[in-house]
Structure formats: structure tokens, C-alpha cells
Amino acid sequence: MNYKKYVPHIFTGLKDRTWPGNTLSKAPIWCSVDLRDGNQALPVPMSVEKKLTFWNTLVDMGYKDIEIGFPSASETEFSFARKLIDESLIPDGVRIQVLTQSREHLIRKTFEAVAGAKQAIIHLYNSTSVQQREVVFKMTKQEIIDIAVTGAKLIVELEKEYPQTEFFYEYSPESFHATEIDYALEICEAVIEVFQPTPQKKMIINLPTTVEVATPNVFADQVEWFCKNLKDRESIVISVHPHNDRGCAIATSELAMLAGADRVEGTLFGNGERTGNADILAIAMNLYSQGIDPGVKINNIDEIADIYKECTLMDINQRHPYVGELVFTAFSGSHQDAINKGLKAYEAQSDEIWEVPYLPIDPQDIGRSYEPIIRINSQSGKGGVAYVLETFKGYKLPKAMHPEFARFVQKKTDETGKELSPDEIYNLFHAVYLSANDRYRLGKYSISSGKSGEVDIKADITLKGKQYTMKAHGNGPISAFFHGIKALGYNDFSIEEYSEHALSLGADAEAIAYVQVSDGKGNKHFGTGVDSNIDSASMKAILSSLSFFDA
Ligand code: KIV
Ligand code: ZN
């Protein structure tokens, strides 16, 4: 591991930085570069049809600046631009953006690609970093400036030939992150001088971290320095275009916004060259989670993800912020318990403030369901199991029953080594407490009430596999039944806890009863019974609990 072959990337030019004291209060201008930077990095680039599907999604989400491609680079890119324009597929207010190098034939072709569009952003770029100048182009600083300025001048000339289109301009000093900052400013100002933007008709200066080589604070310093030193700041939209080589493109974008960036270029789910571009959807959701209007619509993130996967043939990691399959799932028991309590408190409160532990946003806001929030594995606690039964199946287990059933769940997950779905938990509950047990059965019974409210019961039951017809007396059906049971060899037994609730609505609704029975020697078990008659459900629950003492 020869780390000495690398040098740190630092920027020491800004001493009076103010960005750390700023807070984000609004969304930036978004620019999706999915159809260009994202597309150019795909093992299988999108066809015109797929680009169109992706385009429709971006438009539906509300993106207003959409870089549609590099039309001078390939026939597909060119055809896609023509299709959008010739078939009037660009809604009013949406600006298509097209990338071009600063070479005459490419610039001319780019204009042909966007001819007839109502609005278009011509995005001119050339590389400016020391490495690119010295190693790749072998050119002086002035020669690199000349390339940019010559291209800009041609663009201004060509604009006159396309009067149907309102043109906007963007210039990117590619590899800005590794360009001497005063030189980056010099080249940008030379280009600005050609385009002559005004506060009414601004141009975009786009500052890319073409390769992410430093911590996000370094880029924030560069952006703040640039904004402070730029001559005609009010005529310029400062855009940033972070890549994700160190995995910090989202943070880099956010700190750049604090430092003065007005606009962010990136892609959905961060697709792009190498490790990708900044994930503009995650940045938007980060703003949303701070109570800021994200400026785009993300209320159906799964649909967006499906279209993305279909068009790009790329996967999305299960832990990807906001969209990953597992991001609204809690495995730990204490997390599950806290989520359970948080959700109940949220439902009970009168204001709408979301404060549910472990869930930074309400999954429902982006079309995710609560269903997968809690899945049960061997690490899950009793609270999680009870939550699943209550939320998905309507079973409100008494609190004292939670640890008892959780032990059955734990045993099952330990045996299988797998997590259990809500359905599997429900099936296990039935198998443990409600499955037909021929050794403990309630047969026919009759109850007659006396004047004082006391009752007599006559019941056919099976206990430990033996059939009995019992007769007993009590101050209610349950106590009468239990007296009868006691007389059949369960003298020391008592009922410790009893609860019941309806399972459905209507006249023939079923009820569930939970009864905890003690044997008087310190052993206690719950039993459960379901029936449309609550007395029957309770007697079945008593027999169910007795079956555990037999086990
Ligand atoms: O990453 C980059 O520098 C680019 C430019 C062309 C803007 O994609
Ligand atoms: Zn890029």
C-alpha cells in the first residue's frame, strides 16, 4: 500500500469562509444530466425509445433543465434531440440542454440538433486543469482560453441563424476542481465576456468536480472563493456538477449550495461515469426531510426506480438512500419497538410534525408502504413481533404475551436462519396457539343463567385426550367453565390475565380471546381462542393454554 505516491488535494485560498455558518432554505435549480452524463456511462447506452421513456419521467417529476445528450457525438443522440423537437415533445418551460466541445463542426452540428426548439441551453466545455493542459492537450493556459473563447464566439454568431429558438448559455471549465482557481476564474470571465449575460438573461457557469479528489469542504471553499471573486455575479447562475469518486457527491453538492451555488447538475440515483454523478433525487429528499420544498415530485419513488432500471439496465443498491429495498426496514428489536411507539405517537398527535425514531421521513410520502418497515429475524425483539401481528393482522396481544410468543419466533428464526415475513409470523401464531388440538377440545355446551347473574354450565370437553362432560357453577360463563376444569385435576390452576377483542366487523364478526393460566407452581402460559361467540372463544383459549402444561 504505497500511499506515498499520492498527494493531498487542498485549497488554501479562502481564509474568510462564510459557508459553514449558512443553512439551506430552498431547493437549487435542478438540472438532470441523466440522458447525457448518465447515459454515456452505461454499458448499454439508451436507445431513442428508452431515452424518451426516461425523458417523460424527468418531465413528469418537474425537472425544467434537462441535458438531453451530446448530439454531435452520435446519431442516436442527434435523433433523440430531433425527435423531441419535431414531435413537439418538450413542454413549455422545459429547457433542453445539449453539450458540445469547443470545435467548429461539433458546435454547428449541435445547433442543427436543436433547431426549432423553443428554448435551448448550449453547454460548451473544455478541460482546464493542470493535468489536462500539460498531459493531455500539451497546451498553454492562453491556448486553452482561446479554445473556449473561439467556441463561444462561434455560438454567438450561430445563434443569429436560428431566430425561432431562445438560446441560453452554459460554460464548464471541465476539471475545475483541479484547476488553479484564479485561472478558472480568468477563463470563465473570458467566456462571459463573449456571451455578455445580464441579470435579466443570465448565463450558467458550471463548476464540475469532474473527478472527486478532496473532502466536500475543499470544494465549498473553491465555490465560495469563485462566487466572491466573479465580476458580474448577478448575471451568472453558478452551477455545480459533482462526481462521486470518494462517495461524497451528495455532501459536496450540499456544501457547494451553502457556499453559493444556485444550481446542481446530477442524475437520478447517482448514475454516471465511474462512481457516478451526484444523486439529485437524494439531495432533493434531503431538503424535503428538512421541511424544504424539493422542487421536484418524488411521491412514487418505486415507479421512478422501475423506469430507471428498465432504461439504464442498472441496479439500485438495497441500502440506497430513500429508494433501496431495505431503507425503511428495521431489523433490530429496539429499533422496531421505538418505531412502533413513534408511529403511534405520530397518529395520536394533532400537528403533522414527523418525529418517528429511525425513520427520517414518512415512507408513505414517497409511495413506500409501511409493510416492509419491520421484518422479523433472530435479532428482533418482542415489540416488533407484536407490532407485526397488530399492524398486519389486527391481533392485539396482551403485553404479558409478547415475550412468550417472541420466544417461539426466535426459535423459528434461529432454526431457519431467515427472517420471517408478516404472513409467516401470523402462520406461526396460528400453529402455536390456534391450530386444532384433538387432546384439548371444546365440544357442545349449554349455559343457563340464574336470577342473580350466576350461571350453570354443562360442557363436553376433551382434556389431555380424555373426554368429559363437566357441570359447574360460577358468576359468569368463563368462571363457571374454569371451575369445571379445576375439578378435573387442575385444582391449583388459576386465570392470571384475560383479554379479548373483535377481529372483524358485523353481526357474525369473530372475536379473539387471550387467557393466561398459572399452575400455582410459577408456570404460566397464554392460550388463544377464536370464535364468533365470545364465550366459546374464551373457553377455547383456556383449553389452548392448558395444552402447554401438557407439553
Ligand atoms: O464531469 C464533467 O466535468 C462533465 C462536464 C462535461 C460538465 O461532465
Ligand atoms: Zn460529468
Side-chain angles (χ1 to χ4, degrees), residues 380-415:
S380 306
K382 45 193 171 31
V385 173
Y387 174 80
V388 168
L389 280 177
E390 180 168 351
T391 307
F392 303 110
K393 305 296 174 188
Y395 286 10
K396 298 182 187 128
L397 272 55
K399 209 161 172 32
M401 194 179 184
H402 296 185
E404 181 176 317
F405 180 52
R407 278 196 293 276
F408 287 99
V409 172
Q410 174 110 35
K411 187 160 173 277
K412 180 91 177 165
T413 50
D414 282 345
E415 274 164 19

Side-chain angles (χ1 to χ4, degrees), residues 237-504:
V237 170
I238 294 291
S239 179
V240 291
H241 177 110
H243 276 271
N244 196 38
D245 299 77
R246 296 164 54 100
C248 302
I250 294 174
T252 300
S253 310
E254 290 174 333
L255 297 200
M257 282 151 66
L258 292 176
D262 310 302
R263 183 178 188 265
V264 175
E265 292 193 351
T267 55
L268 305 190
F269 313 118
N271 179 42
E273 291 279 10
R274 306 177 307 282
T275 49
N277 287 68
D279 177 350
I280 46 173
L281 215 142
I283 302 170
M285 286 310 304
N286 286 353
L287 291 169
Y288 179 81
S289 73
Q290 305 301 299
I292 298 169
D293 178 355
V296 276
K297 226 171 60 201
I298 315 175
N299 49 7
N300 56 348
I301 202 159
D302 285 341
E303 256 175 63
I304 297 168
D306 285 347
I307 290 168
Y308 165 84
K309 287 189 263 184
E310 179 193 313
C311 294
T312 62
L313 305 180
M314 300 292 284
D315 283 337
I316 296 177
N317 189 285
Q318 291 175 314
R319 305 234 178 247
H320 195 105
Y322 301 105
V323 66
E325 209 183 296
L326 295 178
V327 300
F328 298 115
T329 305
F331 285 86
S332 131
S334 62
H335 290 204
Q336 291 167 7
D337 188 47
I339 289 172
N340 185 4
K341 289 176 179 147
L343 288 173
K344 280 201 172 130
Y346 178 67
E347 272 154 31
Q349 77 196 11
S350 53
D351 64 30
E352 261 203 313
I353 301 301
W354 179 259
E355 266 164 340
V356 176
Y358 303 108
L359 291 178
I361 61 152
D362 182 347
Q364 287 192 338
D365 291 354
I366 52 173
R368 297 293 298 262
S369 91
Y370 283 118
E371 177 105 20
I373 286 177
I374 292 186
R375 301 203 309 200
I376 301 300
N377 64 12
S378 61
Q379 303 305 306
S380 306
K382 45 193 171 31
V385 173
Y387 174 80
V388 168
L389 280 177
E390 180 168 351
T391 307
F392 303 110
K393 305 296 174 188
Y395 286 10
K396 298 182 187 128
L397 272 55
K399 209 161 172 32
M401 194 179 184
H402 296 185
E404 181 176 317
F405 180 52
R407 278 196 293 276
F408 287 99
V409 172
Q410 174 110 35
K411 187 160 173 277
K412 180 91 177 165
T413 50
D414 282 345
E415 274 164 19
T416 59
K418 291 202 192 121
E419 63 188 30
L420 295 184
S421 67
D423 277 343
E424 286 168 327
I425 291 169
Y426 173 75
N427 292 339
L428 181 65
F429 184 81
H430 269 248
V432 171
Y433 293 106
L434 288 163
S435 64
N437 182 341
D438 285 342
R439 288 172 56 77
Y440 292 84
R441 284 184 85 84
L442 177 68
K444 280 194 187 140
Y445 70 90
S446 58
I447 294 172
S448 51
S449 318
K451 275 193 193 131
S452 58
E454 299 222 328
V455 300
D456 288 306
I457 188 164
K458 182 174 173 217
D460 294 336
I461 56 167
T462 308
L463 268 180
K464 293 188 192 168
K466 271 180 78 177
Q467 294 188 347
Y468 300 92
T469 296
M470 58 122 104
K471 287 185 186 165
H473 181 81
N475 54 13
I478 311 302
S479 83
F481 182 75
F482 202 69
H483 282 149
I485 294 282
K486 280 167 83 90
L488 294 171
Y490 291 89
N491 212 21
D492 295 335
F493 282 55
S494 57
I495 291 181
E496 296 290 308
E497 191 161 334
Y498 171 86
S499 65
E500 38 104 344
H501 61 82
L503 281 176
S504 50

Side-chain angles (χ1 to χ4, degrees), residues 20-89:
N22 295 342
T23 39
L24 296 176
S25 57
K26 65 175 180 31
I29 301 165
W30 300 114
C31 174
S32 151
V33 295
D34 290 89
L35 300 172
R36 195 278 298 172
D37 219 354
N39 186 48
Q40 80 187 39
L42 291 176
V44 185
M46 287 182 254
S47 61
V48 169
E49 291 68 37
K50 282 191 170 166
K51 276 192 136 190
L52 189 59
T53 306
F54 208 123
W55 159 268
N56 286 332
T57 302
L58 294 169
V59 169
D60 285 350
M61 290 177 73
Y63 288 105
K64 300 292 180 221
D65 285 0
I66 303 177
E67 190 161 77
I68 58 167
F70 198 152
S72 61
S74 87
E75 202 37 53
T76 309
E77 300 279 278
F78 189 88
S79 311
F80 180 62
R82 290 305 334 151
K83 187 175 179 74
L84 289 184
I85 298 159
D86 295 339
E87 298 180 19
S88 304
L89 300 173

Side-chain angles (χ1 to χ4, degrees), residues 35-294:
L35 300 172
R36 195 278 298 172
D37 219 354
N39 186 48
Q40 80 187 39
L42 291 176
V44 185
M46 287 182 254
S47 61
V48 169
E49 291 68 37
K50 282 191 170 166
K51 276 192 136 190
L52 189 59
T53 306
F54 208 123
W55 159 268
N56 286 332
T57 302
L58 294 169
V59 169
D60 285 350
M61 290 177 73
Y63 288 105
K64 300 292 180 221
D65 285 0
I66 303 177
E67 190 161 77
I68 58 167
F70 198 152
S72 61
S74 87
E75 202 37 53
T76 309
E77 300 279 278
F78 189 88
S79 311
F80 180 62
R82 290 305 334 151
K83 187 175 179 74
L84 289 184
I85 298 159
D86 295 339
E87 298 180 19
S88 304
L89 300 173
I90 309 169
D92 285 349
V94 173
R95 303 191 295 182
I96 53 167
Q97 176 169 313
V98 279
L99 183 72
T100 178
Q101 287 178 353
S102 192
R103 294 162 71 183
E104 182 175 348
H105 69 290
L106 300 181
I107 293 174
R108 286 188 185 279
K109 183 96 181 160
T110 305
F111 271 88
E112 284 166 29
V114 298
K118 271 198 190 136
Q119 295 187 315
I121 304 171
I122 306 286
H123 180 183
L124 178 73
Y125 82 99
N126 65 330
S127 292
T128 55
S129 68
V130 189
Q131 224 179 48
Q132 294 274 359
R133 288 190 325 255
E134 292 178 0
V135 180
V136 183
F137 297 104
K138 302 195 190 326
M139 284 186 180
T140 63
K141 283 181 172 175
Q142 190 53 51
E143 283 169 326
I144 297 286
I145 293 178
D146 290 345
I147 291 177
V149 167
T150 308
K153 283 183 177 160
L154 176 60
I155 289 171
V156 171
E157 278 312 302
L158 282 176
E159 167 171 358
K160 297 177 193 143
E161 293 176 24
Y162 296 89
Q164 321 87 311
T165 304
E166 184 184 9
F167 286 101
F168 298 86
Y169 297 116
E170 171 166 338
Y171 172 66
S172 292
E174 201 221 81
S175 300
F176 163 82
H177 69 281
T179 304
E180 307 90 322
I181 195 99
D182 47 353
Y183 175 62
L185 184 69
E186 186 184 346
I187 192 165
C188 288
E189 286 189 336
V191 172
I192 292 168
E193 183 65 31
V194 178
F195 285 126
Q196 295 283 316
T198 63
Q200 291 70 41
K201 184 84 187 275
K202 300 185 189 204
M203 79 164 284
I204 302 159
I205 291 291
N206 185 45
L207 307 177
T209 58
T210 303
V211 182
E212 186 175 61
V213 293
T215 48
N217 62 301
V218 171
F219 186 61
D221 275 4
Q222 289 172 313
V223 171
E224 183 169 328
W225 186 99
F226 194 90
C227 290
K228 279 182 171 158
N229 288 278
L230 186 64
K231 255 192 245 138
D232 202 6
R233 176 70 182 89
E234 56 294 347
S235 301
I236 306 296
V237 170
I238 294 291
S239 179
V240 291
H241 177 110
H243 276 271
N244 196 38
D245 299 77
R246 296 164 54 100
C248 302
I250 294 174
T252 300
S253 310
E254 290 174 333
L255 297 200
M257 282 151 66
L258 292 176
D262 310 302
R263 183 178 188 265
V264 175
E265 292 193 351
T267 55
L268 305 190
F269 313 118
N271 179 42
E273 291 279 10
R274 306 177 307 282
T275 49
N277 287 68
D279 177 350
I280 46 173
L281 215 142
I283 302 170
M285 286 310 304
N286 286 353
L287 291 169
Y288 179 81
S289 73
Q290 305 301 299
I292 298 169
D293 178 355

